[in-house]
Amino acid sequence: MTASHAITTSEAAFEVQFPMTAQSVPLARNALEEAMGNWDVDLDTREDVLLVVGELSANAVTHARKFPGRQWRLAVVPNPEVIRVEVSDADAERHPELSPPSDREQGDTERGRGLELVDTLTGGAWGVAERIVGKTVWAQIKRPAPLGAS
């Protein structure tokens, strides 16, 4: 995992806040899918982004401590080389982590499989950034090189 700065509101091509409920995860995916229709993003990358958003969003609403009135935030920036996804919540104490490789290989755990998918889809380009209130889990999905580029 590599360190990186948090997306600012002025940088985000897509930024929405949602209630801390399981029902908000498909709403977030659907809203982002509609927004990506206006971006120049190939179908495979689009599907990878939606999978990563689904996993990180589900983690936020499932594992983060709930604070009254707090919401979670989804921000996405498409750049020429990568699409950066950030999911922020108010819980600074609980950080996502991959299950140990031995557990994943033996199928001994139900936890951490979503992050294993995120890790695979991003080539390990994901991490956690502290915020004044809470944390941001970020991921970067590589975009394919344009045709004719070497």
Side-chain angles (χ1 to χ4, degrees), residues 20-21 25 54-66 72-73 87-91 135 137:
M20 292 291 284
T21 63
V25 175
E55 293 300 331
L56 297 183
S57 301
N59 281 352
V61 301
T62 302
H63 301 295
R65 289 184 299 152
K66 312 296 188 279
W72 65 275
R73 169 187 171 258
V87 173
S88 303
D89 63 58
D91 187 354
K135 68 180 174 301
V137 181

Side-chain angles (χ1 to χ4, degrees), residues 21-127:
T21 63
Q23 296 84 354
S24 67
V25 175
L27 294 175
R29 283 178 46 104
N30 291 342
L32 179 58
E33 185 172 26
E34 186 174 321
M36 283 195 300
N38 298 320
W39 304 347
D40 183 24
V41 179
D42 67 284
L43 184 59
D44 288 340
T45 303
R46 194 179 297 202
E47 289 175 359
D48 289 351
V49 169
L50 292 172
L51 282 170
V52 168
V53 165
E55 293 300 331
L56 297 183
S57 301
N59 281 352
V61 301
T62 302
H63 301 295
R65 289 184 299 152
K66 312 296 188 279
F67 295 94
R70 295 284 183 175
Q71 297 181 317
W72 65 275
R73 169 187 171 258
L74 171 62
V76 182
V77 175
N79 292 311
E81 297 85 27
V82 298
I83 295 179
R84 183 174 172 94
V85 171
E86 291 187 354
V87 173
S88 303
D89 63 58
D91 187 354
E93 295 178 15
R94 298 180 187 179
H95 288 209
E97 55 186 46
L98 288 170
S99 297
S102 59
D103 288 352
R104 292 193 312 264
E105 290 167 7
Q106 297 173 15
D108 287 346
T109 182
E110 290 297 316
R111 304 201 108 145
R113 292 177 189 232
L115 286 178
E116 185 177 352
L117 177 63
V118 169
D119 192 59
T120 299
L121 292 174
T122 63
W126 68 277

